[in-house]
Amino acid sequence: MADDGSGGDISIPSFLMFKVDADQIIAEVRANHPVQVEMQWALPQPDDRVEYDLWTTPSDPVSKEFQKKFKPIAEALGDRAYFTPHMYVYDGIKSNCQGFDGENMCFNLCTNNGRYCATDPDNDLDHGISGADVVKESLRRVCIWKQHGDSDGIGSDWWDYVGQFMERCDSPDYFANEDCVKDCYKHAGIDQVVIDNCMRDSGGLDKDQTNTFLDLEMQAQVKRGVVILPTAFVNTVALRGGLSVDTVFTAVCNGYLEGTEPKVCTECEGCADFDQCIAKKKCKSSGGGVSPHMFMGSILFISLIFGGAAFWHYRKTREDMREQVRGILAEYMPLEGDDGQVGSPMDFAKRGGTENLMG
């Protein structure tokens, strides 16, 4: 917003309001009433199904933990939520990576003669993972989603492939290794031929021609206004802050029309054992906490432990006092025995001091 000449007294940060709202606050202040204003970014809650997206790249280190762990939640949400993964690809033409004669001007950062590009993850154009490798893996994941997730918005096989890739191929030596990718296909139950055909039929990556799916990704990122990676959107609203399983799950649950939240949200949001709750769709601590029988049993057990310790302490203290008394008597009061002989002080103490002290 530009300064129209009246912004000299505005400092940063400032909060701008519509006049109709501000007039109500001013009226309350003038009436000497306390005023409290809360600034809140609320999620749209249109209906009983939430749509959420993730914008990332195959080389993005920040979203890896999220992608490893979110599959059970996506499955638990089921058809009550629709997930869409997006791969961020740079427009090489706008970045001047394609020359006037169609030549790739950005070396191995781009495919399709400079049309589609990605940053070099290790900042080394001669070694390791290249930008073109990232673009290729991005297209592969788009195709996997088209075949295994687009229909239901869950994409269990897509999550499996991404998890397998991060476990097996996420290193400079194996990122672009086709044998490693084949191994990921196998463990995720994905038909390689179908995905290869998808990548080729969409326009491929070799010639100076457009790729339909990559063009759609670039159009979507401009429309959505993606400027930071990774970014998650819930009901078209960007989530700010760290990307984690908890924050995305909470945002998704808050995106439902009030009263239409699925059971997994009402049960597991805030549950102490979150992972177990997602698996069972029930929080162990829900429904009243510890049962009365468990509570009374615990109290009884603790009472027995303390009672036994107190009794042992009492017996030990009594024995210690008795030994001390015997020691004192043995040291200061040597007595005469029944035979008229003076006995040893220790003998008297060992006998427990049973002789007549008066003699």
Side-chain angles (χ1 to χ4, degrees), residues 26 34 96 114 134 160 214 242 285 294 353:
I26 293 173
N96 297 319
V134 176
D160 286 339
L214 295 182
S285 60
M294 179 66 71

Side-chain angles (χ1 to χ4, degrees), residues 142-159 188-191 194-195:
V142 170
C143 280
I144 293 174
W145 180 259
K146 294 293 183 183
Q147 300 296 324
H148 294 271
D150 200 40
S151 60
D152 62 6
I154 300 173
S156 297
D157 292 341
W158 184 89
W159 292 102
I190 293 174
D191 189 337
V194 173
I195 304 305

Side-chain angles (χ1 to χ4, degrees), residues 214-232:
L214 295 182
D215 277 344
L216 290 174
E217 291 296 290
M218 292 194 303
Q219 293 169 13
Q221 71 195 30
V222 172
K223 181 179 180 181
R224 187 72 84 190
V226 180
V227 294
I228 300 174
L229 293 179
T231 298

Side-chain angles (χ1 to χ4, degrees), residues 328-340:
I328 293 172
L329 292 175
E331 184 174 354
Y332 291 104
M333 305 179 69
L335 301 177
E336 181 179 295
D338 294 337
D339 56 359

Side-chain angles (χ1 to χ4, degrees), residues 18-255:
F18 289 107
K19 187 176 185 300
V20 64
D21 298 321
D23 286 343
Q24 299 179 35
I25 297 177
I26 293 173
E28 293 297 318
V29 173
R30 286 177 175 173
N32 201 26
H33 295 157
V35 176
Q36 180 176 346
V37 179
E38 180 181 2
M39 182 171 60
Q40 185 180 43
W41 286 269
L43 285 172
Q45 299 174 319
D47 50 34
D48 61 353
R49 191 181 84 156
V50 171
E51 297 179 359
Y52 63 112
D53 311 341
L54 173 66
W55 285 88
T56 183
T57 69
S59 59
D60 170 38
V62 179
S63 63
K64 288 179 181 178
E65 193 68 18
F66 171 83
Q67 294 182 80
K68 287 179 181 179
K69 295 183 176 181
F70 202 79
K71 177 194 171 185
I73 300 175
E75 292 178 334
L77 291 168
D79 60 1
R80 299 295 308 281
Y82 189 93
F83 173 66
T84 304
H86 289 284
M87 299 294 115
Y88 193 96
V89 178
Y90 289 91
D91 188 333
I93 295 178
K94 289 184 178 180
S95 301
N96 297 319
C97 283
Q98 187 179 70
F100 294 108
D101 56 355
E103 183 182 359
N104 183 0
M105 306 296 291
C106 292
F107 194 39
N108 60 359
L109 296 178
C110 308
T111 64
N112 302 75
N113 285 40
R115 287 181 178 273
Y116 310 106
C117 308
T119 56
D120 190 301
D122 40 30
N123 295 317
D124 188 344
L125 296 178
D126 297 320
H127 304 91
I129 306 169
S130 69
D133 294 335
V134 176
V135 173
K136 184 175 183 179
E137 179 61 24
S138 297
L139 178 59
R140 179 180 289 118
R141 295 189 185 186
V142 170
C143 280
I144 293 174
W145 180 259
K146 294 293 183 183
Q147 300 296 324
H148 294 271
D150 200 40
S151 60
D152 62 6
I154 300 173
S156 297
D157 292 341
W158 184 89
W159 292 102
D160 286 339
Y161 170 81
V162 172
Q164 290 293 330
F165 187 91
M166 286 189 289
E167 179 182 347
R168 302 172 185 275
C169 309
D170 193 20
S171 67
D173 292 333
Y174 293 100
F175 192 95
N177 187 294
E178 290 298 326
D179 290 334
C180 189
V181 172
K182 290 179 183 178
D183 199 28
C184 295
Y185 283 146
K186 177 181 177 181
H187 284 84
I190 293 174
D191 189 337
Q192 178 186 352
V193 176
V194 173
I195 304 305
D196 288 347
N197 289 340
C198 171
M199 296 174 67
R200 183 186 64 251
D201 295 343
S202 64
L205 297 169
D206 300 322
K207 299 179 181 179
D208 182 15
Q209 61 186 22
T210 59
N211 184 288
T212 304
F213 290 154
L214 295 182
D215 277 344
L216 290 174
E217 291 296 290
M218 292 194 303
Q219 293 169 13
Q221 71 195 30
V222 172
K223 181 179 180 181
R224 187 72 84 190
V226 180
V227 294
I228 300 174
L229 293 179
T231 298
F233 290 82
V234 175
N235 286 348
T236 72
V237 175
L239 303 185
R240 302 305 182 191
L243 179 69
S244 68
V245 170
D246 292 341
T247 56
V248 175
F249 175 71
T250 301
V252 169
C253 289
N254 289 335

